[in-house]
């Protein structure tokens, strides 16, 4: 992406974050394009966060025909761990992973150890933002925001059984709550 694309992307995010986002750089190999995360505090009430990545759309993948992705995550937490996890997923998977609905990324350990045992991020459609906001036209091509949903490793069989849409539409479950109980099969 060109500098113009990055500026326009940040301008677009500023509409939602009011320009008040914490910016973090995710360390990458010397020759790799940078990965940034942008964390907005309290967008859904006190002690909530929302985060965006920038750097995934700098890569290519054969399945990205109409737009390239960037990631979004929101949690009922004040911990930046969740946003940094999104940046880590970009760093580890860009250029190799497709980042499509239903993909999962297992950290092998808690994402935010002080508050949750959740260790997996599920990729699916954005539910916490206006759909019009999730599509961004940039000079280098369109970008679509996709959402990461934290889950427990023990929930993977249930996700496989129900599919991502069925899993994420389980009644009376707040998927932004890092302290929610794990869902069980049956």
């Amino acid at each position: 992406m060109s500098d113009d694309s990055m500026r326009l992307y940040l301008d677009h995010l500023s509409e939602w974050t009011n320009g008040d986002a914490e910016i973090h750089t995710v360390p990458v190999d010397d020759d790799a394009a940078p990965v940034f995360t942008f964390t907005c505090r309290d967008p859904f009430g006190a002690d909530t966060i929302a985060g965006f990545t920038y750097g995934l759309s700098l890569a290519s993948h054969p399945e990205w025909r109409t737009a390239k992705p960037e990631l979004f995550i929101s949690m009922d937490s004040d911990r930046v761990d969740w946003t940094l996890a999104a940046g880590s997923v970009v760093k580890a998977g860009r250029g190799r992973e497709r980042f499509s609905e239903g993909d999962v990324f297992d950290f092998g350990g808690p994402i935010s150890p002080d508050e949750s045992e959740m260790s997996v991020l599920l990729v699916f459609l954005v539910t916490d933002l206006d759909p019009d906001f999730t599509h961004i036209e940039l000079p280098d091509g369109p970008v679509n925001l996709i959402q990461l949903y934290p889950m427990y490793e023990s929930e993977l069989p249930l996700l496989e059984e129900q599919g991502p849409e069925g899993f994420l539409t389980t009644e009376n479950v707040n998927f932004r709550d890092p302290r929610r109980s794990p869902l069980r099969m049956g």
Side-chain angles (χ1 to χ4, degrees):
M1 268 190 190
S2 67
D3 289 342
D4 284 342
S5 288
M6 183 174 178
R7 183 182 46 76
L8 290 170
Y9 179 76
L10 293 174
D11 287 349
H12 182 81
L13 294 185
S14 291
E15 293 174 24
W16 194 79
T17 65
N18 295 320
D20 190 26
E22 297 171 22
I23 301 172
H24 298 273
T25 304
V26 178
V28 295
D29 297 332
D30 291 338
D31 59 342
V35 174
F36 300 97
T37 63
F38 307 94
T39 304
C40 181
R41 295 195 177 272
D42 304 327
F44 301 108
D47 297 324
T48 64
I49 61 154
F52 301 88
T53 64
Y54 179 78
L56 179 56
S57 58
L58 299 175
S60 296
H61 192 280
E63 292 188 32
W64 299 345
R65 293 183 186 99
T66 58
K68 292 184 174 186
E70 286 293 349
L71 306 179
F72 167 75
I73 189 168
S74 63
M75 291 298 287
D76 293 342
S77 170
D78 63 356
R79 308 258 177 175
V80 73
D81 298 348
W82 302 103
T83 304
L84 295 175
S88 295
V89 166
V90 169
K91 174 187 172 184
R94 70 176 168 179
R96 292 190 325 271
E97 302 293 337
R98 58 192 188 140
F99 292 89
S100 295
E101 296 171 22
D103 287 352
V104 293
F105 296 91
D106 190 339
F107 280 75
I111 295 166
S112 185
D114 293 339
E115 68 181 336
S116 178
E117 291 297 313
M118 291 182 187
S119 62
V120 176
L121 293 173
L122 167 65
V123 177
F124 201 65
L125 300 173
V126 176
T127 57
D128 292 336
L129 298 172
D130 183 316
D132 292 335
F133 182 79
T134 64
H135 181 79
I136 309 162
E137 288 292 334
L138 299 174
D140 297 332
V143 168
N144 287 329
L145 295 173
I146 53 176
Q147 191 160 341
L148 294 173
Y149 297 87
M151 55 185 289
Y152 296 94
E153 183 180 12
S154 65
E155 295 174 327
L156 289 171
L158 186 60
L159 173 66
E160 187 173 321
E161 177 186 277
Q162 295 181 344
E165 185 173 3
F167 178 79
L168 291 171
T169 56
T170 303
E171 286 189 36
N172 301 316
V173 176
N174 177 1
F175 285 95
R176 290 195 327 232
D177 182 358
R179 294 169 195 84
R180 72 173 173 82
S181 298
L183 301 175
R184 306 270 182 230
M185 291 188 66

